[in-house]
Amino acid sequence: MTNFSWLVDGSIVGLYLVVTMAAGLMVRKYVGKVEHFLVAGREMNLYLGIASLAATEFGIVTCMYTAQSGYEYGFAGSTPGILQALAMLVIGVTGFCVKPLRDSGVMTIPELFEVRYGPFIRWLSGVVIVLGGLLNMGVFLRVGGEFLVLVSGLNEKYLVISMTALLLMVAIYTILGGMLSVLVTDFLQFIVMSLGLLAVTYLILWNVGWTKIIDTVQQTHGAGGFNPFIHPKLGFEYVLAQAFVQIAATLTWQTTIARLLAAKDTWTGQKVYIGTSFFFVCRFLIPGIWGIAALAMLSPDILASRATDPSNATLQAMPIYLSTFVPIGLMGLLVAAMLAADMSTDSSYMITWAAVIYNDILAPFRRNKTSEATGLLINRMIVAAIGVFLFFYGLFYKLEGGLWDYLTTTGTVYLSSMSVLLIACCYWKGANNWGAAAAIVVGAVFPIGYLVLEKTIPGGATTLHDSYGFTQDRAKISAFALSAVSMVLFSLLKPRPAAQN
């Protein structure tokens, strides 16, 4: 059973979708150049940047994995959000790496790398960024579709239809309006998303109670539910791996960097980082509370009977709980808020990966100057192709284990090496293309190797942990540490040109 009313809640959702689509399509007439399409003409102001970045970094997938972390780890599950908030604040204030990056006037990070490391490293960087990014984003549509099916009470057979509808709505205005449409719709989506999140959180705290939430964490997880270092499933390695991931994501995650590069000046870009820093705590904490409330209020029998995938029941606990708890009317606002969150995330990810494919991977094949009209057509075709990939990957990929673990592991495919390359590019004169190539290869080997082994050896992650001591956290730590070592070692090994008399 669900409290979703197609008459009342469906009307609210329908109105939101009409307004969003109209706003996204209205700005398409202002897209006349590739720069408009990819970085909004570099005219993004502070408040639009804060709203856009906050909306982008909170999608249905975000809500699902943070709620799952709350359900499985208690308040300790919000550790990544605290770490990223600190990283955003410190990097925004100091301008570490992001100031020279924005000052350079590039449209993507690999474009900057060409200056120091040469055209091949630019191309290789683009390949690994897109590989890690698309693997990371591949599960977004399916997770978003599962949330909508569970909350609205739709039959599971409508999952594919839900995925298709989500993709088409996002793809239409992103293909036509590019980053301009993304920024405008993100602003609207930020407002709707914030209203929905605050309203549902207030309702949960009013009905479940803060005391019951705290008691549930204490009874289920003990002290580890409040301290990640002593939680039996987390620990020091988890915190260290998350610290590496969050710092690297702040420096090089493509959707975050896209806002920096679209800002009207460098200081505006840094202030966007500062202004959104605390949001990343809320991003993990608010849905985490929803997950804890589901743990407190759902019996194991009810969860098992309602989950469409018993192996991932903890991921589905939050939407199952909300479907029976949130009243008619507010349910419409909740679904609209989640759609807002998902559409802003999907559109931003599609445009940023398209930017790297066009600007860096295809750069060697665009030796002759491409006209603006041709460039726009190519970019729109890339966005459409990304949409097709996302649909089929989400349809057929079977998620195993925690969603957040999967996302950070796939993200590490490029975060590990790109963060090393960026820091070296900005601050170490001895960095060169040998070191950069070695860092890229080594940084990608460990996370990709883990994902492949998890799918191919009997027992998957359990066997890797029990028999070989190889975990996702160790794969991430190894990727970051050895990528940095490789950059230094191979840069020093490259022969220097002989000095001329």
PDB file of all heavy atoms in Angstrom, residues 265-283:
ATOM      1  N   ASP A 265      34.248  34.490 -12.743  1.00  0.00           N
ATOM      2  CA  ASP A 265      35.647  34.740 -12.409  1.00  0.00           C
ATOM      3  C   ASP A 265      36.100  33.721 -11.366  1.00  0.00           C
ATOM      4  O   ASP A 265      35.298  32.959 -10.824  1.00  0.00           O
ATOM      5  CB  ASP A 265      35.871  36.182 -11.917  1.00  0.00           C
ATOM      6  CG  ASP A 265      34.978  36.542 -10.742  1.00  0.00           C
ATOM      7  OD1 ASP A 265      34.971  35.802  -9.743  1.00  0.00           O
ATOM      8  OD2 ASP A 265      34.273  37.568 -10.832  1.00  0.00           O
ATOM      9  N   THR A 266      37.386  33.742 -11.076  1.00  0.00           N
ATOM     10  CA  THR A 266      37.959  32.733 -10.183  1.00  0.00           C
ATOM     11  C   THR A 266      37.409  32.830  -8.768  1.00  0.00           C
ATOM     12  O   THR A 266      37.065  31.806  -8.148  1.00  0.00           O
ATOM     13  CB  THR A 266      39.490  32.869 -10.148  1.00  0.00           C
ATOM     14  OG1 THR A 266      39.998  32.702 -11.472  1.00  0.00           O
ATOM     15  CG2 THR A 266      40.115  31.824  -9.244  1.00  0.00           C
ATOM     16  N   TRP A 267      37.319  34.035  -8.223  1.00  0.00           N
ATOM     17  CA  TRP A 267      36.854  34.186  -6.849  1.00  0.00           C
ATOM     18  C   TRP A 267      35.399  33.753  -6.711  1.00  0.00           C
ATOM     19  O   TRP A 267      35.015  33.170  -5.687  1.00  0.00           O
ATOM     20  CB  TRP A 267      37.050  35.615  -6.377  1.00  0.00           C
ATOM     21  CG  TRP A 267      36.614  35.874  -4.968  1.00  0.00           C
ATOM     22  CD1 TRP A 267      35.797  36.859  -4.537  1.00  0.00           C
ATOM     23  CD2 TRP A 267      36.964  35.123  -3.785  1.00  0.00           C
ATOM     24  NE1 TRP A 267      35.595  36.793  -3.184  1.00  0.00           N
ATOM     25  CE2 TRP A 267      36.312  35.731  -2.683  1.00  0.00           C
ATOM     26  CE3 TRP A 267      37.749  33.996  -3.545  1.00  0.00           C
ATOM     27  CZ2 TRP A 267      36.421  35.260  -1.381  1.00  0.00           C
ATOM     28  CZ3 TRP A 267      37.863  33.519  -2.248  1.00  0.00           C
ATOM     29  CH2 TRP A 267      37.208  34.133  -1.182  1.00  0.00           C
ATOM     30  N   THR A 268      34.586  33.999  -7.737  1.00  0.00           N
ATOM     31  CA  THR A 268      33.209  33.509  -7.703  1.00  0.00           C
ATOM     32  C   THR A 268      33.193  31.992  -7.629  1.00  0.00           C
ATOM     33  O   THR A 268      32.422  31.394  -6.869  1.00  0.00           O
ATOM     34  CB  THR A 268      32.431  33.982  -8.943  1.00  0.00           C
ATOM     35  OG1 THR A 268      32.373  35.409  -8.959  1.00  0.00           O
ATOM     36  CG2 THR A 268      31.014  33.426  -8.950  1.00  0.00           C
ATOM     37  N   GLY A 269      34.051  31.341  -8.407  1.00  0.00           N
ATOM     38  CA  GLY A 269      34.139  29.885  -8.356  1.00  0.00           C
ATOM     39  C   GLY A 269      34.542  29.379  -6.985  1.00  0.00           C
ATOM     40  O   GLY A 269      33.977  28.401  -6.477  1.00  0.00           O
ATOM     41  N   GLN A 270      35.505  30.049  -6.351  1.00  0.00           N
ATOM     42  CA  GLN A 270      35.917  29.642  -5.007  1.00  0.00           C
ATOM     43  C   GLN A 270      34.787  29.846  -3.999  1.00  0.00           C
ATOM     44  O   GLN A 270      34.583  29.024  -3.101  1.00  0.00           O
ATOM     45  CB  GLN A 270      37.146  30.452  -4.570  1.00  0.00           C
ATOM     46  CG  GLN A 270      38.413  30.063  -5.302  1.00  0.00           C
ATOM     47  CD  GLN A 270      39.618  30.867  -4.833  1.00  0.00           C
ATOM     48  OE1 GLN A 270      40.320  31.471  -5.636  1.00  0.00           O
ATOM     49  NE2 GLN A 270      39.863  30.891  -3.539  1.00  0.00           N
ATOM     50  N   LYS A 271      34.040  30.935  -4.143  1.00  0.00           N
ATOM     51  CA  LYS A 271      32.938  31.195  -3.208  1.00  0.00           C
ATOM     52  C   LYS A 271      31.802  30.187  -3.386  1.00  0.00           C
ATOM     53  O   LYS A 271      31.065  29.914  -2.431  1.00  0.00           O
ATOM     54  CB  LYS A 271      32.426  32.630  -3.378  1.00  0.00           C
ATOM     55  CG  LYS A 271      33.368  33.686  -2.818  1.00  0.00           C
ATOM     56  CD  LYS A 271      32.721  35.061  -2.749  1.00  0.00           C
ATOM     57  CE  LYS A 271      32.502  35.649  -4.124  1.00  0.00           C
ATOM     58  NZ  LYS A 271      32.004  37.052  -4.041  1.00  0.00           N
ATOM     59  N   VAL A 272      31.644  29.659  -4.597  1.00  0.00           N
ATOM     60  CA  VAL A 272      30.665  28.578  -4.789  1.00  0.00           C
ATOM     61  C   VAL A 272      31.064  27.376  -3.940  1.00  0.00           C
ATOM     62  O   VAL A 272      30.217  26.741  -3.304  1.00  0.00           O
ATOM     63  CB  VAL A 272      30.560  28.200  -6.284  1.00  0.00           C
ATOM     64  CG1 VAL A 272      29.758  26.916  -6.456  1.00  0.00           C
ATOM     65  CG2 VAL A 272      29.913  29.332  -7.085  1.00  0.00           C
ATOM     66  N   TYR A 273      32.353  27.066  -3.912  1.00  0.00           N
ATOM     67  CA  TYR A 273      32.841  25.973  -3.066  1.00  0.00           C
ATOM     68  C   TYR A 273      32.538  26.257  -1.593  1.00  0.00           C
ATOM     69  O   TYR A 273      32.042  25.383  -0.869  1.00  0.00           O
ATOM     70  CB  TYR A 273      34.360  25.809  -3.246  1.00  0.00           C
ATOM     71  CG  TYR A 273      34.769  24.927  -4.383  1.00  0.00           C
ATOM     72  CD1 TYR A 273      34.291  25.144  -5.678  1.00  0.00           C
ATOM     73  CD2 TYR A 273      35.661  23.878  -4.198  1.00  0.00           C
ATOM     74  CE1 TYR A 273      34.682  24.346  -6.730  1.00  0.00           C
ATOM     75  CE2 TYR A 273      36.064  23.069  -5.244  1.00  0.00           C
ATOM     76  CZ  TYR A 273      35.565  23.305  -6.510  1.00  0.00           C
ATOM     77  OH  TYR A 273      35.947  22.496  -7.539  1.00  0.00           O
ATOM     78  N   ILE A 274      32.869  27.469  -1.155  1.00  0.00           N
ATOM     79  CA  ILE A 274      32.655  27.830   0.250  1.00  0.00           C
ATOM     80  C   ILE A 274      31.165  27.773   0.599  1.00  0.00           C
ATOM     81  O   ILE A 274      30.767  27.237   1.637  1.00  0.00           O
ATOM     82  CB  ILE A 274      33.218  29.233   0.532  1.00  0.00           C
ATOM     83  CG1 ILE A 274      34.735  29.256   0.318  1.00  0.00           C
ATOM     84  CG2 ILE A 274      32.884  29.677   1.961  1.00  0.00           C
ATOM     85  CD1 ILE A 274      35.344  30.648   0.315  1.00  0.00           C
ATOM     86  N   GLY A 275      30.333  28.317  -0.292  1.00  0.00           N
ATOM     87  CA  GLY A 275      28.898  28.406  -0.031  1.00  0.00           C
ATOM     88  C   GLY A 275      28.193  27.067   0.001  1.00  0.00           C
ATOM     89  O   GLY A 275      27.171  26.908   0.678  1.00  0.00           O
ATOM     90  N   THR A 276      28.709  26.086  -0.728  1.00  0.00           N
ATOM     91  CA  THR A 276      28.051  24.777  -0.766  1.00  0.00           C
ATOM     92  C   THR A 276      28.668  23.777   0.215  1.00  0.00           C
ATOM     93  O   THR A 276      28.192  22.645   0.320  1.00  0.00           O
ATOM     94  CB  THR A 276      28.120  24.167  -2.183  1.00  0.00           C
ATOM     95  OG1 THR A 276      29.478  24.171  -2.629  1.00  0.00           O
ATOM     96  CG2 THR A 276      27.247  24.923  -3.155  1.00  0.00           C
ATOM     97  N   SER A 277      29.724  24.186   0.926  1.00  0.00           N
ATOM     98  CA  SER A 277      30.447  23.223   1.763  1.00  0.00           C
ATOM     99  C   SER A 277      29.542  22.563   2.804  1.00  0.00           C
ATOM    100  O   SER A 277      29.525  21.326   2.916  1.00  0.00           O
ATOM    101  CB  SER A 277      31.642  23.898   2.450  1.00  0.00           C
ATOM    102  OG  SER A 277      31.214  24.995   3.240  1.00  0.00           O
ATOM    103  N   PHE A 278      28.779  23.353   3.560  1.00  0.00           N
ATOM    104  CA  PHE A 278      27.953  22.756   4.606  1.00  0.00           C
ATOM    105  C   PHE A 278      26.825  21.911   4.020  1.00  0.00           C
ATOM    106  O   PHE A 278      26.352  20.967   4.666  1.00  0.00           O
ATOM    107  CB  PHE A 278      27.350  23.828   5.515  1.00  0.00           C
ATOM    108  CG  PHE A 278      26.543  23.259   6.648  1.00  0.00           C
ATOM    109  CD1 PHE A 278      27.168  22.578   7.685  1.00  0.00           C
ATOM    110  CD2 PHE A 278      25.165  23.364   6.664  1.00  0.00           C
ATOM    111  CE1 PHE A 278      26.435  22.030   8.725  1.00  0.00           C
ATOM    112  CE2 PHE A 278      24.419  22.823   7.705  1.00  0.00           C
ATOM    113  CZ  PHE A 278      25.056  22.160   8.740  1.00  0.00           C
ATOM    114  N   PHE A 279      26.414  22.208   2.789  1.00  0.00           N
ATOM    115  CA  PHE A 279      25.363  21.414   2.155  1.00  0.00           C
ATOM    116  C   PHE A 279      25.743  19.942   2.090  1.00  0.00           C
ATOM    117  O   PHE A 279      24.877  19.058   2.174  1.00  0.00           O
ATOM    118  CB  PHE A 279      25.078  21.941   0.745  1.00  0.00           C
ATOM    119  CG  PHE A 279      24.289  20.993  -0.106  1.00  0.00           C
ATOM    120  CD1 PHE A 279      22.917  20.889   0.042  1.00  0.00           C
ATOM    121  CD2 PHE A 279      24.913  20.171  -1.030  1.00  0.00           C
ATOM    122  CE1 PHE A 279      22.182  19.998  -0.717  1.00  0.00           C
ATOM    123  CE2 PHE A 279      24.190  19.275  -1.791  1.00  0.00           C
ATOM    124  CZ  PHE A 279      22.814  19.192  -1.642  1.00  0.00           C
ATOM    125  N   PHE A 280      27.039  19.656   1.959  1.00  0.00           N
ATOM    126  CA  PHE A 280      27.450  18.264   1.804  1.00  0.00           C
ATOM    127  C   PHE A 280      27.265  17.472   3.098  1.00  0.00           C
ATOM    128  O   PHE A 280      27.138  16.250   3.061  1.00  0.00           O
ATOM    129  CB  PHE A 280      28.895  18.196   1.302  1.00  0.00           C
ATOM    130  CG  PHE A 280      29.000  18.529  -0.156  1.00  0.00           C
ATOM    131  CD1 PHE A 280      29.234  19.825  -0.566  1.00  0.00           C
ATOM    132  CD2 PHE A 280      28.820  17.554  -1.116  1.00  0.00           C
ATOM    133  CE1 PHE A 280      29.307  20.149  -1.914  1.00  0.00           C
ATOM    134  CE2 PHE A 280      28.880  17.858  -2.461  1.00  0.00           C
ATOM    135  CZ  PHE A 280      29.114  19.161  -2.870  1.00  0.00           C
ATOM    136  N   VAL A 281      27.252  18.161   4.254  1.00  0.00           N
ATOM    137  CA  VAL A 281      26.878  17.488   5.492  1.00  0.00           C
ATOM    138  C   VAL A 281      25.391  17.154   5.447  1.00  0.00           C
ATOM    139  O   VAL A 281      24.974  16.024   5.746  1.00  0.00           O
ATOM    140  CB  VAL A 281      27.185  18.376   6.717  1.00  0.00           C
ATOM    141  CG1 VAL A 281      26.728  17.670   7.997  1.00  0.00           C
ATOM    142  CG2 VAL A 281      28.672  18.686   6.791  1.00  0.00           C
ATOM    143  N   CYS A 282      24.577  18.144   5.042  1.00  0.00           N
ATOM    144  CA  CYS A 282      23.126  17.928   4.949  1.00  0.00           C
ATOM    145  C   CYS A 282      22.801  16.844   3.935  1.00  0.00           C
ATOM    146  O   CYS A 282      21.865  16.060   4.122  1.00  0.00           O
ATOM    147  CB  CYS A 282      22.428  19.234   4.565  1.00  0.00           C
ATOM    148  SG  CYS A 282      22.715  20.588   5.716  1.00  0.00           S
ATOM    149  N   ARG A 283      23.577  16.803   2.868  1.00  0.00           N
ATOM    150  CA  ARG A 283      23.354  15.830   1.801  1.00  0.00           C
ATOM    151  C   ARG A 283      23.419  14.400   2.317  1.00  0.00           C
ATOM    152  O   ARG A 283      22.682  13.526   1.859  1.00  0.00           O
ATOM    153  CB  ARG A 283      24.418  16.056   0.721  1.00  0.00           C
ATOM    154  CG  ARG A 283      24.487  15.020  -0.386  1.00  0.00           C
ATOM    155  CD  ARG A 283      25.793  15.176  -1.128  1.00  0.00           C
ATOM    156  NE  ARG A 283      25.919  14.239  -2.222  1.00  0.00           N
ATOM    157  CZ  ARG A 283      27.087  13.908  -2.767  1.00  0.00           C
ATOM    158  NH1 ARG A 283      28.192  14.420  -2.303  1.00  0.00           N
ATOM    159  NH2 ARG A 283      27.137  13.054  -3.769  1.00  0.00           N
TER     160      ARG A 283
END
